[in-house]
Structure formats: structure tokens, C-alpha cells
Amino acid sequence: MILLVVMALLTGRDPVLDLIRDIPIVGDIISADSTSASAAKCLPAAADTALIGSLIRRGALSETRCLWFVPVPDERH
Amino acid sequence: MSGTDKVQCLLCPFSCVLAPGERGTCRIRLNHGGELVSLVYGLPVAVHVDPVEKKPLFHFKPGSSTFSIACVGCNLGCRYCQNWEISQASPEDVPPVQLPPDEVVRAALDAGCSSVSYTYSEPVVWYEYMLDTARAAREAGLSNILVTAGYINEGPLRELAPYIDAANVDLKGSTDSFYRRMCFATIAPVLRCLQVLSETGVWLEVTNLIVPGWNDSEDDISSLCSTFTGLLGTSVPLHFSRFFPMYRLVDLAPTPVDTLVRARQAARDAGIDFVYVGNATTEGGETTTCPVCGAELVVRHGFSVETMRVSDGKCPDCSTPIPGVWD
């Protein structure tokens, strides 16, 4: 327990998380080139389509065509 | 164009139908002008070098390091999610880094890893990034590890499976009602995923997170073991993991260690050869023993391997084959 407290003080994060299976420490990325990400940092979760389009054009979000989808036919007759 | 520009995603059983501007239940697949696009391709939010035991995989290259990546997103909404900060986030919520597939491979090789793991959140929903990275990793001589809840349609799974060497699949419970109440999903696609991975030769291990009051009764464990053996037999490793209060279940206490010990014993009594306990220290709960002579073969402490006695895939004392990928 003492060791955990010391680790927490030294690293500034909860060491218990390191001991739990398959949990990453969010933000602790070993290879960071976040230049593309700056515009995406502080947006609301419900960003609208225009905003998303703008982010995609600026390279802040990916625009990779997905596999595994189909167009839905027009149901109007 | 005669259509409505609506699209239907065929990746997972939710089969979301999306009008332009709408995203799937996973939050990361967007109908952008009549095309479905991924908002997270090449943009992971977690990049780590982990021991393979942390996935957990106990019978796959023990003691090796695995280059672990995750983008935001998940198609389930499990109340107890242990990684909810990223799995339940939208791409705008967590700053990513740019790491295209070839750079993942280069970084994995530079870090001395023997595999790449698609993990932490739900890799199924960032399928295209995972598939391209897995192809590049395979070409570079790296193994690929999938850690998933298994909520994926069979077509995409069969396209992916040839590139996956090992998988740990969460079997969260044994009933449809558990999946509906806890995860807002259904169990049948998960069972099918387990079957397909098993049939296609992917090395498979299964994890069950035991949550107090939700899936911890004797009946729950017995039912889980029965489902497990009926589907996969007795030689696939089963991991019981300890729950810690997170996300929407912060009012629950962590799983008592006794519960995990009893679950392990029940699974062994049900004939399952390799049963482990994780997120808790228990007597022998992380040790691989020979199912025939009982010899201790792999002794682990936490995520480190202290003793490794499996030789040529066999118990050195009685020559019983021990299933796994040991080199």
C-alpha cells in the first residue's frame, strides 16, 4: 500500500489502474504526434455535421470510407 | 441519384440505418454525404507497450510485449465498463495522435514487441484501421491480437480472422437477459463470434468479469461454464476477472476475492482445464498446471512470468500437450 501511495505521488496517476487487466492510462501515449488533433480537443460530443465536415477538411478527423455498408433504397413510390 | 443517401452499416448486429450526418451507435461511423466513413482511422487515443498477460492472454507467447492501440468507440454500453473514458467517448472528446498502420508497425518493431494488440475499447468499431494495421503487421512478421466483446457480424469477422493470431473475447454472461440489461445487446452474436474464431484457428481465450449482484451467483457461474464447454470444449483458457466500481456501477463494491476463488473452482469442477483469476491475487489463480499430472508449468505473478516449464508445447513431466502458442 505504501508503495502504491509513493508511486501515485511520483507519477501523478493512480497506480492501481496499471494493475488492472487491459486498462490503458488515458492520455499516456508513448508515441505522440498530436498536431492533427488540436482542433478536435474541446468540442461538444454532439458536434453537428457541418462542424464534422470542417474538421475532416482540416485533417482533424479521419475520413476513411468504411467497409461493410450498403445504401438504403428510397422508399417513396 | 434516386436514393435518400441513407446507408446501413453491416459491421455489427445493430445494423444502424443512418441518414446523412448521423452516426452509428458506436459514435465513430458517420454517414457523410451518403458514404459511411470512419472518424478515427489512424487516430488512436491510447498507445502502450503491455505484457501480453495484461490482455489477458496466458497461453500465447508468454512473457512477450505487445504493442497495444485503441481508438475511441464501442458498440455496446456496458454499465460496468472498465474503459468507459474511451469506449463511451466520441472522437471529439479525447485527443488522438496520428498513427497510420505502417507507423504502428514501425513503432511496434522499434519497441521490441512481437505483436500488435487491438484492445482497450472495442476494436470492432474501428474495423478498417484494425484490418489495415493487421495486414501490415502480418507482413512485417508481427502477430495480431484482438481483444473484443465479440459483437460483430459474421461476414466482417471472417474477413478479419485470417489476420488475427490470438483473441481474448469477453463472455460477459450466459443469458440474453444479462446482455440486454447490462450491455444493451444480445448474446447470440457473441456466441457465434466465439465459434467462428475457434473454427478459423485463432488462438482463443475467454474472459468473464464477475460483478457482484449481476452475474456472481452459483447458478450464474454454472450456467456460464455450461455455455462455455458446450461451445468451446474444455481446453480453451477461461479468465475470471475482478470487477472494480466504474462508469454506471460506482455504487457497487469490488468483487470479493472469495467469489473469484469459488468461480474458479466451479469451472474446474465443470471440467475446464485452464481457469485463471485476474485483477486479484489468489493462491494459484495465475498458474498454469498440467491437466493430467498437475505439475506447475507456468507460474505468474501479476503480469510477469516467473517460471516457464512448457517445453515444445508439452508438460515436461508427463508429455501431455498443453494447448497454446508457446514460442
Side-chain angles (χ1 to χ4, degrees):
Chain A
M1 180 53 79
I2 292 170
L3 180 62
L4 292 181
V5 171
V6 170
M7 283 171 64
L9 289 172
L10 288 176
T11 63
R13 66 190 198 194
D14 185 351
V16 172
L17 290 180
D18 284 338
L19 305 177
I20 299 177
R21 285 173 164 175
D22 211 36
I23 287 190
I25 306 301
V26 175
D28 180 16
I29 291 176
I30 66 163
S31 172
D33 170 13
S34 58
T35 50
S36 69
S38 55
K41 278 182 182 169
C42 300
L43 296 171
D48 63 26
T49 308
L51 189 51
I52 291 290
S54 151
L55 285 170
I56 288 172
R57 281 190 295 279
R58 287 154 54 194
L61 288 175
S62 161
E63 188 190 11
T64 300
R65 189 176 189 274
C66 288
L67 304 168
W68 298 101
F69 75 95
V70 291
V72 175
D74 192 343
E75 290 173 358
R76 289 172 295 180
H77 296 289
Chain B
M1 187 165 204
S2 62
T4 58
D5 277 354
K6 282 185 180 174
V7 298
Q8 182 169 32
C9 182
L10 304 177
L11 180 61
C12 91
F14 283 117
S15 303
C16 298
V17 174
L18 306 169
E22 288 183 343
R23 300 188 210 182
T25 190
C26 60
R27 293 175 295 280
I28 66 166
R29 300 170 79 80
L30 166 77
N31 180 342
H32 189 55
E35 291 243 305
L36 194 65
V37 299
S38 165
L39 296 174
V40 298
Y41 186 98
L43 297 172
V45 295
V47 183
H48 297 268
V49 173
D50 285 339
V52 73
E53 285 76 15
K54 189 172 180 176
K55 299 302 101 191
L57 285 175
F58 277 14
H59 291 223
F60 186 81
K61 301 187 174 183
S64 67
S65 295
T66 183
F67 195 82
S68 303
I69 58 173
C71 304
V72 297
C74 183
N75 48 352
L76 304 187
C78 308
R79 298 171 191 271
Y80 59 29
C81 184
Q82 306 279 289
N83 274 328
W84 64 275
E85 291 103 327
I86 55 174
S87 74
Q88 303 302 312
S90 295
E92 304 89 328
D93 298 336
V94 186
V97 294
Q98 265 193 326
L99 208 60
D102 58 331
E103 288 190 29
V104 173
V105 171
R106 184 184 50 75
L109 292 169
D110 287 351
C113 295
S114 61
S115 59
V116 177
S117 286
Y118 312 94
T119 181
Y120 302 139
S121 59
E122 178 46 75
V124 161
V125 302
W126 29 281
Y127 180 89
E128 293 76 13
Y129 180 40
M130 170 170 55
L131 182 61
D132 287 353
T133 306
R135 284 178 172 141
R138 172 67 61 83
E139 217 162 88
L142 295 166
S143 302
N144 289 298
I145 293 172
L146 171 65
V147 182
T148 179
Y151 208 64
I152 181 173
N153 283 336
E154 191 167 336
L157 179 60
R158 286 193 181 277
E159 182 185 42
L160 174 68
Y163 301 97
I164 299 298
D165 298 283
N168 188 301
V169 178
D170 252 354
L171 181 57
K172 295 166 185 288
S174 61
T175 64
D176 205 53
S177 85
F178 178 86
Y179 267 83
R180 287 178 189 277
R181 285 183 301 124
M182 178 64 93
C183 312
F184 310 102
T186 54
I187 193 172
V190 181
L191 300 180
R192 185 66 191 141
C193 171
L194 286 165
Q195 270 179 325
V196 170
L197 289 175
S198 176
E199 286 166 15
T200 48
V202 173
W203 173 254
L204 182 62
E205 303 191 19
V206 172
T207 294
N208 175 246
L209 186 75
I210 300 185
V211 187
W214 282 82
N215 61 356
D216 63 338
S217 72
E218 270 184 38
D219 284 350
D220 291 329
I221 301 299
S222 166
S223 167
L224 183 95
C225 294
S226 168
T227 301
F228 180 96
T229 54
L231 203 63
L232 303 170
T234 58
S235 60
V236 170
L238 172 61
H239 300 259
F240 289 115
S241 281
R242 188 184 195 195
F243 158 87
F244 285 92
M246 296 210 190
Y247 194 39
R248 292 178 176 170
L249 293 186
V250 287
D251 54 332
L252 289 184
T255 316
V257 173
D258 277 358
T259 304
L260 296 156
V261 171
R262 277 190 284 109
R264 178 169 184 253
Q265 189 56 52
R268 288 161 70 100
D269 291 345
I272 301 172
D273 287 334
F274 306 101
V275 189
Y276 303 104
V277 168
N279 296 346
T281 303
T282 60
E283 180 74 34
E286 295 165 318
T287 299
T288 302
T289 54
C290 175
V292 173
C293 73
E296 288 190 344
L297 299 177
V298 188
V299 180
R300 304 172 186 83
H301 183 69
F303 300 131
S304 63
V305 175
E306 294 189 340
T307 307
M308 167 62 186
R309 294 186 63 234
V310 177
S311 175
D312 290 333
K314 294 176 183 168
C315 170
D317 296 348
C318 70
S319 297
T320 298
I322 307 299
V325 178
W326 300 104
D327 302 323

